[in-house]
Amino acid sequence: MRLHRLTITAFGPFAATQEVDFDALSTAGLFLLHGPTGAGKTSVLDAVCYALYGAVPGARQSPGAALRSDHAAVGTYTEVGLELTVGGRRLEITRRPAQLRLKKKGTGFTTEKAQSWLREYDAASGAWRAMSRSHQELGEEIGQLLGMSREQFCQVVLLPQGDFARFLRADAEARGKLLGRLFDTRRFAAVEERLAELRRAAEHQVRAGDDRLLGIAQRIAQAARGSSAPPLPDRQPGDAGLASAVLEWAALARSGAHECADIAESALSAAEGRQAAARQALDAERELARLQQRFADTRLRAEALEARRPECERAQALLERAHKAELVAPALALRDDAEQAHHTAATAYARARDLLSSGLADAGAEQLAALEGTMRQELGALDAARRAERRSAEITAERGDLDRQARADEEILHEAAGWLAGWESVRRTVQDRIEAAQEAATRAEQLAGQLDPARHRLEAARRRDTLEAAATDAEHRLGSAREHANTAHETWLDLRERRLRGIAAELAARLVDGEPCAVCGSDAHPVPARAADGQVDSATEDAAQAAYRRADLARGEAERAHAAVRERYAAARAAAGESSLGELAALTERLEREHTEAHRVAAGTHAAREALGRAEREHEGRLDARRQAEQRVAARTSRREALDREQTALRAELVRARGDADSVAERAEQLERRARRLSEAAEAVRSYDTTALRLKEADGRLADVAFRAGFDTPQAAASALLTGASRRDLQHRLDDWQAEAAAVADRLAEPETKDAAGRPAADPGAAEAAHRPAERALRDASSACATARDRCAELGRLSRRAEAEVRGLGPVREEYDRVARLAGLTAGTSTDNERRMRLESYVLAARLEQVAAAATVRLQRMSSGRYALVHSDARAGGQRRSGLGLQVIDAWTGSARDTATLSGGETFFASLALALGLADVVTDEAGGVRLDTLFIDEGFGSLDDQTLDEVLDVLDSLRERDRSVGIVSHVADLRRRIPTQLEIVKDRHGSAVRQRVAG
C-alpha cells in the first residue's frame, strides 16, 4: 500500500482545503511531520484512517466527537480525499461525514447524510472510472484489498510508540489482549469455550444418568423392603464403579425376594385346604337352618290367610253389585250433562235480559235478531264519516308541523343574519394568527442557526475556565518533576564518579591469593588497593540509578500531561473566543428563550389554518341554510291555504254523521254495543229453550234403564257405582289373597321342608365360629403371597430399567472422558499440559515468537548488537496467563532480563523494533500486502545522539524495500537531520500545511 495524495477540507483544525503530496515526501524515504502542540499533526493521520475506514483511530474516537472544523466557513463541506495504490490498483477515496448545511429553501440548517465515493484509475484510457457510492461496498472493497481491520491498520501503519512501550512492560494478560485483537484468535478462544461447554454438558448428562440410576436403586430398596435384601451401597453421583455396584446389589435383592415368594406360596396352599373344609360345614348348617325357618314361616302365613277370608267374601259381593250398576252409568252421565247445560243456559238468559230495555224483556229470539240487523246497517253507514274524521285529524297535525317548521326557519334566519354580520372580523382575526405564526417559524429557524454555535462557545468557555486552572497546576507539577529528575540525575552521576574513582578497591576486594587477577593476570597481589572513606558500592549506585529512572519517568508523564492539558486549553480558548462565561451564558439563555417563544408561536400555524378553513366552511353553510329557509317559508304559505279549505268541508260532513255523540268513533261504539247486546240476548233465549227439552228426555231414559238393571230407583243404581280406583283396590286385595293361599299350599307340600322340620334345630353360629379363623388365615396367606409375587415382578422390572440405564450411560461416560480430557488440555488445567497454556495462549505465543524474531533483526542494529528480544513460555505463578512472556537478552552480560527494566531510550528503540516486527508479521498474516508508507509517533526525545543516529539509520534502511517512513515528533534536532518535512502551522483561523522537500 502506497499513499500518493491526501486532501483535507474543514476537517479537525483545518478550515480551508489542505493537500499533502506523499509522492514528493516519499522520494527521500524518510520525512518529518512536526508542528506546535494542537496544530493538527495527529489529525493528518486521522484523515488517512477516516478515508480508508470511515472512522478515526479508536483512541481518539468518542461518542460525541465531531470531525468538522470549528473554523470552517458556513457552506464549506467537511471532506477527506485520499489517492493510493494497493494491490496493484490506483484508487481515489472521498468521504464526507454527516454534517449540517444551510437549507436550500427558507432559513436555518438541515442535516446532510454521510457520503462516500470510490474511483479507480484506468491506465489504458488515462481517466478515472467511478466504482461505488455505497459505504458498505466501499468498506468491503478496501478491507479485501488491505486485508486488515481498522485496529490492525492503526497498529502496523500508524505505529503508536506509547502502546508498544506499554506492551513491553505489560504482563502476559495485557499482551494477550493486544495480540488477540491484531491476529484475531477469537476462533481459538471459541474452541476453548465450546469444549468447556461440551464438558459441562457431558458432565451434566453423566450426573443426571447417575441420579436416575440412584433413583432406580432407591425404588428397588423400597420394593425389596421386608425381604432379606442387603442394604443399598453408599455411593454418590459421579463415583467410579457406581453402575456395577448397583447392578450387583439389585441381583442380591431379587434372589432374596424369590425365596420369600416360594415360602409364601407353600403357606397359601395349606390355608386354602383348611378354609375349604370349614366352608363346607358352614354351608350345610346354614341350609338346614334355612329350611326349618321356611316351614315355620309358611305355617304362620296359612293362619293369617284364614283370618282374612270374611273380608275377601265381602269384597267379592261389592264387585258383583258394582258390575250391575255399570249398565246404568251411561244414562246417569247423560242426565247430569243435560242438567248442567240447562243451568248454564238459564244463567246466561237471566244476565242478557237484565241488559235489555224494559220493553224488550219478554221479546222472543226472532224479534231480537231483527233489531240487531237494523243496528248493523246504521253502523255500516258510518265508515265514510270515520275516513273524514281521520283526514281532519291529519290536517290538524300537518298544520302543527308547518307551524313548528316556520318557527325553526325563523330561528335559522335570525341566527344566520347575526353570524354573517360578524364574518369579516372573524376572518381577519384568523388570517392575522396565520401571518404571525409564519413570521415566528422564520424567526425560529434563524435563532436555531445562532443557538448551536452559541451553545458550542458556551461549552468551550466552560472547558476553557476549567482547563486554565488545570494547566497552571500541571505546569507546577512539571516544574517539580523536572527539578526532582535533575537532582536525581546529578546524584546518580556523582555516585557513579565516586565509584569509578574507587573502582580499584572494589576490584581488590575480589582478589583471592593464588588466583590470577582479572585485570593484569598476575597471581601475586603484593599491594592491593584499600577502600577510602565514603567508598560507593554497586548497590548504592544501582539504587541511585533506579531513583533517577523513576524520577525521569515521572518527568515524562508530567510533560505529557502538561502538553495534553495545554493542547485542550488552547483548543477550548480558540473555540470560546475572548467573551466571558457570563456573557456567553446570558447570550445562550436569551437565544434559547427567544427560540422557545418563536417555536411555540410557530407551532400554531397548522391550528390557525384549520381554524380559517372551518370558519370559511361555516360561512358557506350559513349562506346555504338562509337560502333554503327562505324557500321553505314560501312553500308553507300555499300549503296552509289548501289545508284550510279541505278541513272546512270535512267538518260540515262530520257534524251530520256524529249526531248527539262527540265523535264518529263514539257514535259507532254506541251502535256496536247495542247490536252486540241484542245478538247475545237472542242466542241466550234459543239456548234456554233447547236445554230444557234435552233435560226432560234424559230423565225418562234414566228411569227405564235402572228398572231393567234390577234397581228400584235411579238413585240406588248411582249409589252402587264404584270409582275405578276403588274397584281396582278391591280386585287387587281379592287376587292377593287367592295367590297367597295357593303359594302356602305349595310350600307346605315340599318334601325337603317337611324333612327339615322333623330334624333337630340347626346351629349355624358354631359353624361360623369355626369358619372365621380359617378364612382369616387364608386372606393373610393370600395377601403375603401376592405381596411377594408383586415384589419379585417390581424388582425384575426395576432391575431391567437399571441395566438399560447402565447400558445407555456407557457411551455418555466415554464421551465425557474424551471431552473432559480435550477441554482440560485447551484450558491448561490438565496434567498432560505441562506448561499450563491455554489454546489461545499457545497460538498467540507462536505469533509473539515470530514478532520477537522479526523485531530482533532491527533491535540489534539499533543497539549496536547489544540487545535481542526473545519469547518466553515459562509458567507464570498463581492464576496468571502462561506462554506470553517477553525478555530482552543483553549481549554484554549474557543474561536475560525482563523488558520492564529497559531505560527510557532503550524502551523507545525496543518498542520501535517491536512495532516494525509486528507490522511485518501482520502484513504476512494479511496476505502479504506491501506497506510502502508507515508513520511513527513520538518518542525520539528520549534518545541520545548516538542512539538516535542508529535508529534513523535503521529507519532509513527501510528504503531498501522501497518504503517511506513519516516521523511525528517535537524533537528539534530531527529538523536538522531530516530535510524532507511536513510542517503543520496553526493560527486563530485554523491550521495549514507547509511541505518542504529536500533537493
Side-chain angles (χ1 to χ4, degrees):
M1 180 197 74
R2 177 177 293 279
L3 305 182
H4 298 294
R5 188 181 73 258
L6 174 67
T7 304
I8 307 173
T9 303
F11 182 88
F14 304 103
T17 300
Q18 305 294 323
E19 183 173 334
V20 179
D21 187 355
F22 285 110
D23 285 337
L25 294 173
S26 299
T27 55
L30 196 64
F31 63 91
L32 178 65
L33 176 60
H34 69 94
T37 301
K41 299 185 296 299
T42 305
S43 296
V44 174
L45 307 184
D46 290 346
V48 173
C49 184
Y50 181 75
L52 291 173
Y53 294 96
V56 297
R60 294 181 291 279
Q61 188 177 28
S62 61
L67 300 179
R68 181 170 176 80
S69 174
D70 295 333
H71 304 283
V74 176
T76 301
Y77 284 103
T78 298
E79 183 177 284
V80 175
L82 179 64
E83 186 178 337
L84 74 159
T85 297
V86 58
R89 300 166 61 185
R90 186 154 183 162
L91 304 175
E92 182 189 63
I93 305 170
T94 305
R95 290 188 187 268
R96 286 182 183 176
Q99 53 193 298
L100 294 175
R101 64 166 176 82
L102 289 173
K103 291 183 177 179
K104 296 180 180 179
K105 295 182 179 180
T107 60
F109 294 85
T110 185
T111 301
E112 184 167 326
K113 296 181 180 179
Q115 301 181 57
S116 299
W117 294 269
L118 177 63
R119 298 196 304 170
E120 184 176 6
Y121 183 75
D122 188 356
S125 62
W128 290 93
R129 177 173 55 87
M131 293 182 61
S132 175
R133 295 191 61 176
S134 168
H135 300 299
Q136 182 177 0
E137 292 178 358
L138 192 152
E140 292 176 354
E141 183 73 18
I142 297 300
Q144 291 176 0
L145 290 174
L146 292 178
M148 291 182 288
S149 64
R150 179 168 59 90
E151 290 78 7
Q152 291 175 320
F153 177 83
C154 294
Q155 289 288 343
V156 302
V157 178
L158 312 179
L159 300 178
Q161 293 305 295
D163 290 351
F164 285 97
R166 287 191 295 273
F167 182 81
L168 285 173
R169 296 184 174 90
D171 57 8
E173 193 69 29
R175 289 189 185 124
K177 291 180 180 179
L178 175 61
L179 293 174
R181 291 197 304 269
L182 293 178
F183 294 107
D184 192 14
T185 57
R186 290 175 294 179
R187 59 187 183 277
F188 300 104
V191 170
E192 295 178 25
E193 182 61 27
R194 179 57 179 166
L195 287 174
E197 291 177 358
L198 292 175
R199 180 187 60 78
R200 290 192 294 270
E203 182 180 6
H204 176 71
Q205 291 180 351
V206 169
R207 287 188 173 274
D210 287 345
D211 287 336
R212 292 193 299 271
L213 184 59
L214 286 175
I216 296 173
Q218 292 289 347
R219 295 182 62 181
I220 291 175
Q222 293 177 359
R225 190 174 300 163
S227 65
S228 57
L232 183 66
D234 186 14
R235 297 295 179 91
Q236 298 298 326
D239 290 351
L242 173 64
S244 59
V246 169
L247 294 180
E248 182 180 353
W249 171 81
L252 294 175
R254 290 197 306 273
S255 177
H258 283 297
E259 292 179 0
C260 293
D262 293 341
I263 296 172
E265 288 181 355
S266 299
L268 177 62
S269 298
E272 286 176 347
R274 293 191 295 271
Q275 188 269 345
R279 184 68 188 179
Q280 185 176 3
L282 176 61
D283 291 342
E285 198 67 21
R286 285 178 176 173
E287 180 64 18
L288 178 60
R290 185 185 69 79
L291 292 175
Q292 290 177 349
Q293 184 64 36
R294 181 182 178 86
F295 182 80
D297 293 342
T298 303
R299 294 294 300 272
L300 293 175
R301 288 169 63 187
E303 294 174 359
L305 282 173
E306 191 62 28
R308 290 169 54 196
R309 184 180 294 276
E311 180 183 356
C312 291
E313 291 175 352
R314 288 193 298 272
Q316 182 68 32
L318 289 174
L319 287 173
E320 291 175 356
R321 184 173 175 79
H323 181 67
K324 294 179 180 180
E326 287 178 358
L327 299 175
V328 188
L332 285 171
L334 183 62
R335 198 270 176 191
D336 290 341
D337 293 341
E339 185 179 10
Q340 182 64 32
H342 181 65
H343 178 72
T344 300
T347 302
Y349 174 69
R351 185 168 57 253
R353 189 176 55 188
D354 293 339
L355 296 176
L356 296 175
S357 61
S358 58
L360 298 176
D362 295 329
E366 290 76 8
Q367 184 181 357
L368 293 175
L371 290 174
E372 179 190 3
T374 303
M375 293 291 181
R376 295 291 180 189
Q377 292 176 358
E378 186 178 355
L379 183 62
L382 291 177
D383 289 342
R386 286 194 186 95
R387 290 191 295 273
E389 188 176 41
R390 285 195 299 272
R391 177 57 185 161
S392 178
E394 292 174 356
I395 292 174
T396 301
E398 186 174 356
R399 285 175 58 86
D401 291 340
L402 293 175
D403 292 339
R404 285 191 296 274
Q405 293 173 7
R407 289 192 296 273
D409 287 341
E410 288 176 1
E411 292 178 359
I412 292 173
L413 292 172
H414 178 74
E415 184 178 357
W419 192 91
L420 292 173
W423 159 243
E424 290 299 328
S425 176
V426 172
R427 183 171 61 83
R428 182 68 260 169
T429 301
V430 178
Q431 287 179 344
D432 291 343
R433 284 177 56 195
I434 294 174
E435 293 174 358
Q438 290 175 342
E439 293 176 358
T442 303
R443 176 62 177 162
E445 292 182 356
Q446 295 173 351
L447 291 172
Q450 301 173 12
L451 185 57
D452 286 342
R455 286 173 176 167
H456 290 315
R457 291 185 62 194
L458 176 60
E459 183 63 27
R462 289 171 178 161
R463 293 197 305 271
R464 176 196 64 193
D465 295 350
T466 301
L467 292 172
E468 183 176 5
T472 303
D473 184 59
E475 187 173 0
H476 291 162
R477 288 197 300 271
L478 176 59
S480 299
R482 284 175 175 172
E483 183 178 354
H484 182 63
N486 292 335
T487 302
H489 190 227
E490 292 174 359
T491 302
W492 171 52
L493 293 178
D494 179 64
L495 291 174
R496 182 181 180 86
E497 181 66 24
R498 289 167 58 189
R499 183 190 175 199
L500 290 176
R501 287 197 301 268
I503 196 66
E506 184 176 341
L507 293 174
R510 301 177 183 174
L511 295 175
V512 179
D513 293 338
E515 293 183 2
C517 175
V519 178
C520 64
S522 174
D523 55 359
H525 317 298
V527 187
R530 303 298 180 185
D533 294 338
Q535 175 69 36
V536 178
D537 56 8
S538 60
T540 304
E541 181 189 355
D542 292 343
Q545 184 183 13
Y548 162 64
R549 288 176 177 172
R550 290 193 297 271
D552 189 58
L553 289 175
R555 178 190 57 78
E557 291 293 336
E559 287 178 349
R560 286 189 290 274
H562 177 261
V565 171
R566 293 297 300 178
E567 184 176 357
R568 294 199 302 273
Y569 172 66
R573 185 174 180 180
E578 300 301 328
S579 301
S580 65
L581 180 62
E583 294 173 349
L584 292 176
L587 174 62
T588 304
E589 183 179 359
R590 178 178 63 79
L591 290 175
E592 287 178 345
R593 185 170 58 254
E594 293 178 359
H595 178 266
T596 301
E597 178 62 21
H599 189 272
R600 183 189 64 78
V601 176
T605 303
H606 181 69
R609 292 186 185 276
E610 288 187 347
L612 179 59
R614 289 195 301 271
E616 290 176 345
R617 290 192 296 273
E618 186 173 1
H619 176 255
E620 294 296 330
R622 296 280 185 173
L623 292 175
D624 185 63
R626 186 175 65 179
R627 288 193 299 270
Q628 292 180 3
E630 291 173 350
Q631 293 172 1
R632 289 195 299 271
V633 168
R636 277 195 301 273
T637 301
S638 60
R639 178 60 178 166
R640 186 181 289 108
E641 293 175 354
L643 291 176
D644 289 343
R645 290 193 297 270
E646 184 180 0
Q647 194 171 35
T648 300
L650 290 174
R651 285 176 177 173
E653 182 181 353
L654 289 174
V655 169
R656 292 191 300 270
R658 284 199 298 265
D660 58 351
D662 294 334
S663 65
V664 175
E666 184 179 351
R667 177 61 178 169
E669 185 179 357
Q670 291 175 356
L671 294 176
E672 178 66 29
R673 187 166 56 252
R674 292 173 184 175
R676 188 170 57 253
R677 288 176 181 174
L678 291 172
S679 175
E680 291 174 355
E683 183 64 27
V685 170
R686 295 190 192 95
S687 178
Y688 179 80
D689 295 340
T690 302
T691 56
L693 180 61
R694 285 178 57 197
L695 178 60
K696 182 177 180 181
E697 292 175 353
D699 286 339
R701 184 178 179 183
L702 175 61
D704 183 59
V705 171
F707 178 77
R708 286 198 299 270
F711 294 97
D712 295 335
T713 62
Q715 291 76 14
S719 62
L721 284 173
L722 293 175
T723 63
S726 300
R727 185 170 60 253
R728 287 192 297 273
D729 182 58
L730 289 175
Q731 187 63 48
H732 287 163
R733 283 188 289 173
L734 183 61
D735 293 342
D736 291 343
W737 186 88
Q738 292 174 351
E740 180 70 9
V744 168
D746 291 341
R747 187 173 292 180
L748 290 175
E750 292 175 352
E752 296 87 354
T753 305
K754 288 182 179 180
D755 180 63
R759 295 173 60 184
D763 187 6
E768 180 71 21
H771 175 263
R772 278 197 296 271
E775 183 71 20
R776 187 165 50 253
L778 178 60
R779 285 198 302 271
D780 294 342
S782 178
S783 176
C785 185
T787 300
R789 290 171 181 168
D790 292 344
R791 181 185 296 118
C792 291
E794 181 68 11
L795 289 176
R797 185 180 66 82
L798 292 175
S799 296
R800 289 190 296 273
R801 281 189 57 187
E803 292 171 359
E805 190 68 35
V806 169
R807 286 194 301 271
L809 274 176
V812 175
R813 289 184 183 277
E814 293 177 0
E815 177 69 12
Y816 169 69
D817 293 339
R818 183 177 62 84
V819 171
R821 181 174 178 274
L822 289 176
L825 283 172
T826 57
T829 59
S830 173
T831 56
D832 296 335
N833 191 334
E834 297 179 356
R835 297 194 178 276
R836 296 292 193 268
M837 290 177 63
R838 292 169 44 198
L839 177 60
E840 184 183 15
S841 299
Y842 180 79
V843 176
L844 291 177
R847 293 290 187 269
L848 183 59
E849 188 173 1
Q850 295 174 356
V851 171
T856 297
V857 176
R858 295 183 176 89
L859 179 59
Q860 287 180 339
R861 186 171 180 180
M862 293 179 188
S863 61
S864 300
R866 179 178 179 182
Y867 294 119
L869 287 173
V870 294
H871 160 252
S872 174
D873 57 1
R875 289 181 56 180
Q879 300 297 324
R880 292 181 297 173
R881 185 194 294 246
S882 299
L884 295 179
L886 195 62
Q887 292 180 336
V888 59
I889 297 179
D890 190 344
W892 291 5
T893 62
S895 60
R897 55 192 174 101
D898 192 87
T899 53
T901 62
L902 294 173
S903 65
E906 294 169 341
T907 299
F908 169 73
F909 61 67
S911 62
L912 177 59
L914 185 66
L916 295 173
L918 181 62
D920 292 339
V921 175
V922 173
T923 301
D924 295 338
E925 182 76 13
V929 177
R930 284 181 53 83
L931 300 177
D932 298 321
T933 305
L934 298 177
F935 294 92
I936 301 175
D937 206 344
E938 280 285 2
F940 292 88
S942 60
L943 304 179
D944 54 35
D945 292 341
Q946 180 181 354
T947 306
L948 180 60
D949 289 337
E950 293 172 349
V951 169
L952 292 178
D953 187 44
V954 170
L955 295 178
D956 192 55
S957 68
L958 295 176
R959 287 186 297 176
E960 298 172 1
R961 299 178 63 182
D962 196 20
R963 283 184 176 178
S964 62
V965 179
I967 297 177
V968 183
S969 178
H970 290 280
V971 177
D973 192 35
L974 289 176
R975 301 177 192 174
R976 178 180 55 82
R977 296 171 181 261
I978 304 176
T980 301
Q981 299 177 8
L982 180 65
E983 182 181 5
I984 311 298
V985 182
K986 69 175 181 179
D987 61 19
R988 64 183 303 162
H989 301 296
S991 298
V993 174
R994 293 180 182 174
Q995 191 165 317
R996 186 172 65 197
V997 180

